[in-house]
Amino acid sequence: MTIHYRSIWISDTHLGTKGCKAEQLRDFLDNVDCDYLYLVGDIIDLWKFKTGFYWPALHSDIVQRVIDKAKKGTRVIYIPGNHDEQFRKHAGIHFNGIDIQLNAIHTTQDGRKFLVLHGDEFDSIVCHNKNLAYIGGEAYEVLLVVNRWLNVLRIKMGFKYWSISAFLKHNVKNIVSFMDNYQHILSLEAQKRQVDGVICGHIHHADITEMEFGKTYCNCGDWVESCTALVEDEAGQIDVIRWLEESHQLLDQQLEPQPAYAKVA
């Protein structure tokens, strides 16, 4: 039995890299369905193709699952990010049931309007110094490898998974300041576009925060560490799904018998 949501947003899967948690992503796609599926950038990491081709069958499985959802009636919108920016030149094209767009406006069931975009447009490092951004991306890959081996040891010692990058994002002053500024800039863009909020990715940190001007900032997170997505229920409520921690609970809820209601004569 699958879990149905009105809308799902995923970003920063980085298919084509060893850091992608492809098994968890495939499991997520196998267990959910939706009316709208937004791929909010950095889905395929074309940057890594410059240093070596890595594309296991599992990554093809994920692409095929997305195409299958489109064929079955899900509207799939692909909004490229900076790691797959080559696809931006194909904006406006409908391919295998997938619409490629630079950004989108999504209207929730309760009538709120959200600007959907990857978010690198508002990262000054990416916009103005791509070489530095590329080096930063390589450093992040090294950090993921170190983190992977560290957690192998932690699990053997009976400890839970621990993320170095998540720790740094929450505790290093400059990174925290950058994330706050990033949210502030996106809230200004929401005000400019006259929408109720922004849904984005890019910084690999899932979050839903009320910002200036009464705008709502929503970030999908990533599938290289946190395995998170944004989902909208049938009432229009948007929440963060943390698949690693919540999948069993969510699937068990689907199997629980629904209460029987007496018919009114």
Side-chain angles (χ1 to χ4, degrees):
M1 181 179 292
T2 58
I3 309 170
H4 180 80
Y5 296 103
R6 183 172 184 266
S7 310
I8 296 175
W9 295 264
I10 60 175
S11 73
D12 299 276
T13 61
H14 291 273
L15 292 169
T17 70
K18 294 180 180 179
C20 172
K21 291 191 180 297
E23 291 185 5
Q24 292 83 352
L25 178 56
R26 182 175 63 179
D27 182 60
F28 175 73
L29 293 173
D30 283 344
N31 285 287
V32 299
D33 61 34
C34 54
D35 302 324
Y36 302 91
L37 174 60
Y38 290 88
L39 308 174
V40 194
D42 287 3
I43 301 302
I44 299 175
D45 196 325
L46 299 179
W47 284 13
K48 295 302 293 181
F49 287 11
K50 299 176 183 177
T51 57
F53 186 78
Y54 177 79
W55 192 266
L58 182 55
H59 291 202
S60 294
D61 289 347
I62 291 167
V63 173
Q64 189 59 53
R65 277 160 171 73
V66 172
I67 293 173
D68 289 344
K69 287 182 182 295
K71 290 180 178 178
K72 292 177 181 178
T74 297
R75 187 181 177 199
V76 181
I77 300 98
Y78 187 175
I79 298 170
N82 51 303
H83 282 253
D84 48 13
E85 64 181 345
Q86 288 92 326
F87 294 135
R88 284 175 171 164
K89 63 184 178 182
H90 300 297
I93 290 177
H94 184 81
F95 179 74
N96 269 344
I98 300 172
D99 292 314
I100 302 176
Q101 301 180 18
L102 295 179
N103 54 63
I105 299 294
H106 175 80
T107 303
T108 60
Q109 186 64 36
D110 57 6
R112 292 176 295 158
K113 293 185 181 298
F114 283 82
L115 172 65
V116 185
L117 74 174
H118 181 63
D120 62 290
E121 305 95 317
F122 301 94
D123 181 344
S124 59
I125 294 177
V126 173
C127 290
H128 302 300
N129 194 333
K130 291 193 176 183
N131 288 331
L132 181 59
Y134 181 77
I135 293 170
E138 291 295 303
Y140 184 64
E141 283 285 319
V142 172
L143 187 64
L144 289 178
V145 173
V146 172
N147 199 70
R148 193 178 306 128
W149 285 107
L150 173 63
N151 278 286
V152 168
L153 294 175
R154 285 179 58 84
I155 291 170
K156 287 183 178 180
M157 296 173 66
F159 295 105
K160 293 182 178 180
Y161 179 87
W162 182 73
S163 169
I164 298 175
S165 67
F167 174 81
L168 293 175
K169 288 174 184 176
H170 283 95
N171 293 280
V172 176
K173 183 176 180 180
N174 288 342
I175 298 177
V176 173
S177 177
F178 164 78
M179 292 170 65
D180 288 343
N181 289 336
Y182 183 74
Q183 293 178 356
H184 171 69
I185 291 169
L186 284 171
S187 69
L188 292 175
E189 184 66 14
Q191 176 74 355
K192 176 183 174 182
R193 298 283 195 103
Q194 297 184 331
V195 294
D196 297 292
V198 173
I199 295 173
C200 62
H202 185 53
I203 63 171
H204 294 211
H205 181 67
D207 194 14
I208 298 178
T209 304
E210 297 303 316
M211 299 297 293
E212 298 98 324
F213 317 110
K215 307 303 180 184
T216 303
Y217 166 88
C218 305
N219 195 296
C220 308
D222 68 272
W223 287 85
V224 294
E225 284 192 279
S226 61
C227 297
T228 54
L230 294 171
V231 297
E232 176 196 0
D233 66 19
E234 294 299 335
Q237 177 68 35
I238 298 177
D239 291 302
V240 176
I241 293 293
R242 303 183 186 279
W243 192 246
L244 289 178
E245 294 86 0
E246 301 173 4
S247 58
H248 293 297
Q249 177 185 351
L250 291 168
L251 293 170
D252 287 345
Q253 288 173 356
Q254 291 298 109
L255 297 174
E256 291 177 0
Q258 298 300 312
Y261 296 99
K263 293 184 178 179
V264 178

